[in-house]
Amino acid sequence: MTVALVTGGTRGIGRATALALAEAGHSVAVASRTEPDDLPEPLTWFECDVTSNESVERMFDEIEASLGPVDVLVANAGITRDGLTLRMKEADFTGVVDANLTGAWRLAKRAVRTMMKARHGRIILISSVVGAIGQVGQVNYAASKAGLVGLGRSLAREFASRNITVNIVAPGPIATDMFDAVSDSAKDAMTTAVPLGRVGTPEEVAAAVVFLASAGAAYITGATLAVDGGLGMGA
């Protein structure tokens, strides 16, 4: 049985993705900084702070000892610290970039160690439509999510010879806790801007991830798959 790791896998898109991967037959590890109270039985939780290289190393060691080497990495963990540029503190910018972008690099660097030996692996980075089209008050978040595209494509080129594929999924507005925290007027504006006229579901993003992790996606690497109802088309 292949082992899949989903960071930020205890809620929202990460939780839906972890459950979908388990349904597809993977043994699934989920990682977060705090242990959830309601983790479904098919999933196994591991503590990890993606801003700490020591924490990432320890998590992978624990997963390998408990479940086996990671075959599928879904780098989903991320944070927001929104604010207009003139009011944003430097720590709010660098903190988001460290968690969302550098954290994904830390995870991928550790994951490929065993993937290279196995000459097989799937790495999927969860970006955002905001990384392509921008968003007022989210320069830090947009920069981090745009950076994942360059990171993913570079990793795809570096490790293609070892049969490791690296792809990016870019969700649009999705019905999660993060979206719920937005004001009603902002929700209405975002929903109106989506050509399909609705907000997506975590399960729809999860389906894209499961496909990219499958044998059917073996000839796809360095690609960005938008799951955004058409919001970012042409970007």
Side-chain angles (χ1 to χ4, degrees), residues 2-233:
T2 56
V3 176
L5 165 63
V6 183
T7 62
T10 61
R11 62 179 185 171
I13 290 172
R15 182 186 177 100
T17 297
L19 289 171
L21 286 166
E23 180 68 22
H26 300 276
S27 178
V28 181
V30 297
S32 62
R33 288 179 293 181
T34 57
E35 185 173 5
D37 297 326
D38 59 346
L39 190 70
E41 188 173 321
L43 312 180
T44 305
W45 177 78
F46 294 86
E47 181 182 1
C48 183
D49 177 358
V50 297
T51 66
S52 164
N53 188 63
E54 291 75 16
S55 182
V56 169
E57 287 282 348
R58 181 172 60 251
M59 174 194 62
F60 271 91
D61 290 345
E62 292 173 352
I63 292 173
E64 289 167 0
S66 177
L67 303 177
V70 172
D71 306 284
V72 178
L73 166 65
V74 182
N76 170 71
I79 62 172
T80 58
R81 293 178 186 170
D82 296 350
L84 296 175
T85 299
L86 292 177
R87 299 175 182 173
M88 183 177 289
K89 297 179 180 179
E90 183 171 337
D92 291 332
F93 187 92
T94 57
V96 168
V97 171
D98 188 27
N100 298 1
L101 177 57
T102 313
W105 171 77
R106 292 185 185 101
L107 292 163
K109 182 180 180 181
R110 178 59 176 82
V112 296
R113 192 182 304 171
T114 52
M115 290 179 181
M116 288 178 67
K117 292 179 181 178
R119 300 192 69 85
H120 179 272
R122 299 280 189 270
I123 297 175
I124 299 145
L125 310 178
I126 306 300
S127 180
S128 169
V129 66
V130 171
I133 66 176
Q135 178 67 36
V136 173
Q138 288 194 317
V139 293
N140 47 5
Y141 184 76
S144 69
K145 293 300 186 177
L148 287 173
V149 177
L151 172 66
R153 289 176 176 172
S154 297
L155 291 172
R157 291 184 182 277
E158 284 192 28
F159 297 107
S161 64
R162 297 301 182 98
N163 197 34
I164 300 169
T165 66
V166 186
N167 292 290
I168 305 99
V169 172
I174 304 296
T176 62
D177 292 344
M178 187 181 295
F179 187 75
D180 287 342
V182 176
S183 67
D184 290 340
S185 59
K187 289 179 185 175
D188 291 342
M190 282 188 274
T191 304
T192 300
V194 175
L196 285 181
R198 66 174 178 86
V199 173
T201 69
E203 290 73 21
E204 288 172 316
V205 181
V209 175
V210 171
F211 166 66
L212 290 173
S214 72
Y219 199 54
I220 301 173
T221 196
T224 300
L225 177 54
V227 187
D228 62 4
L231 180 58
M233 68 173 76

